[in-house]
Amino acid sequence: MQVIDRLQKKCIIQFKPEVIRIICLGDANETGIQVWSEIKVSTLFNDYRIQSNADNIISMNIASASLLHALQGIQNALATSGTGSGLGGEEVLMKLAKKNDQALLSFALTTPTRTGRSQSLTYDVRIEVLRPLDITKINEPLCPEPDTLILLPSLPTLRSPVERLRALSSTLVVRANVGPPTKLLLEVAGDENEVRVKVEFGVKFVQTNRQGDEDEDEEAEEKDKEKLYTVPISAKSFVKFLNCHIVNGQVIAAICHRHCLILYFYIGSTGPDAGGVLTFYIPSMVDDGPI
């Protein structure tokens, strides 16, 4: 939620029997970034039950800052309860509730005090429950198969040079090849193309499909290993993404030539064993310069 809160004031959370989805739509923020996240239920919950008339799926609009505030309050309470991390027996119960006809996502926490007594804390976050019909109108972006997939350098490493490039131009051109050797180029052109600046990183090509499963991609063998696949994007959007480095984990970047940049932010390991993945879509910008 720290990541989501930095991108958008509101998000959609969808609780399903096996996974939880967090969605941010591009038309709701100035950077145009869309987020489609899927997190395994087992990553977040020990005991999970869901039931609804809509195939046991519940979807809601929620203010990112309000949910983050509740979660941080719970985290602080656990840290000061005497047992620390929340693994010593405390239980946090999250449930869908209603008070005064207002739908809520309610969190209840019981922790021991220093005197040995128990104290209860409750955080209520206002939500808007969405109808199944509302959800059918929301679709994940349709993108072509990526032309190249690379493992990005650490986000803090990228942030400083990208912020400098952003000062020169609002459009950042991202290029990468298949390799080997595989390289990532970040390039901008100053006003009237009088100055062009680029930063180059040596990176690793990733042979995975879009779902993160191992894939013996025969087409990769047939591609021109030196060709640079390119997408011009909003520099502001990329900086916004890089400011989300508070989540530890690897980021895989997929370049769909002249179409979009897709960023897969894995929770835990990559591939089928990952606890979840936050998928960021940054659309291509119209670029009149040479690509």
Side-chain angles (χ1 to χ4, degrees), residues 43-84:
T43 301
L44 299 179
F45 298 104
N46 294 320
D47 183 16
Y48 177 85
R49 287 171 288 172
I50 185 168
Q51 188 175 12
S52 78
N53 294 327
D55 296 325
N56 294 329
I57 298 173
I58 299 176
S59 306
M60 61 189 70
N61 260 325
I62 191 166
S64 305
S66 297
L67 179 54
L68 179 60
H69 175 74
L71 296 174
Q72 288 176 331
I74 292 168
Q75 188 178 48
N76 292 337
L78 291 172
T80 58
S81 65
T83 52

Side-chain angles (χ1 to χ4, degrees), residues 13-37:
I13 299 183
Q14 186 177 66
F15 294 94
K16 305 177 75 171
E18 300 296 330
V19 297
I20 297 166
R21 304 180 76 192
I22 303 176
I23 301 169
C24 296
L25 301 178
D27 57 3
N29 63 76
E30 59 181 348
T31 59
I33 300 176
Q34 291 196 50
V35 182
W36 290 76
S37 312

Side-chain angles (χ1 to χ4, degrees), residues 120-184:
S120 297
L121 298 174
T122 302
Y123 292 88
D124 291 332
V125 182
R126 294 165 64 98
I127 63 171
E128 176 193 359
V129 178
L130 300 176
R131 300 174 301 168
L133 181 61
D134 297 328
I135 293 297
T136 59
K137 300 176 182 177
I138 300 173
N139 297 303
E140 191 167 357
L142 292 175
C143 300
E145 283 298 313
D147 294 290
T148 184
L149 282 155
I150 60 172
L151 182 64
L152 285 185
S154 69
L155 301 193
T157 299
L158 283 174
R159 186 172 59 177
S160 179
V162 170
E163 287 179 340
R164 291 172 181 247
L165 293 175
R166 178 193 171 191
L168 297 174
S169 175
S170 60
T171 300
L172 175 70
V173 179
V174 181
R175 309 180 195 267
N177 65 331
V178 175
T182 307
K183 58 185 177 182
L184 167 67

Side-chain angles (χ1 to χ4, degrees), residues 103-117:
L104 303 168
L105 200 58
S106 181
F107 297 85
L109 168 66
T110 301
T111 60
T113 64
R114 294 180 179 179
T115 61
R117 297 181 179 180

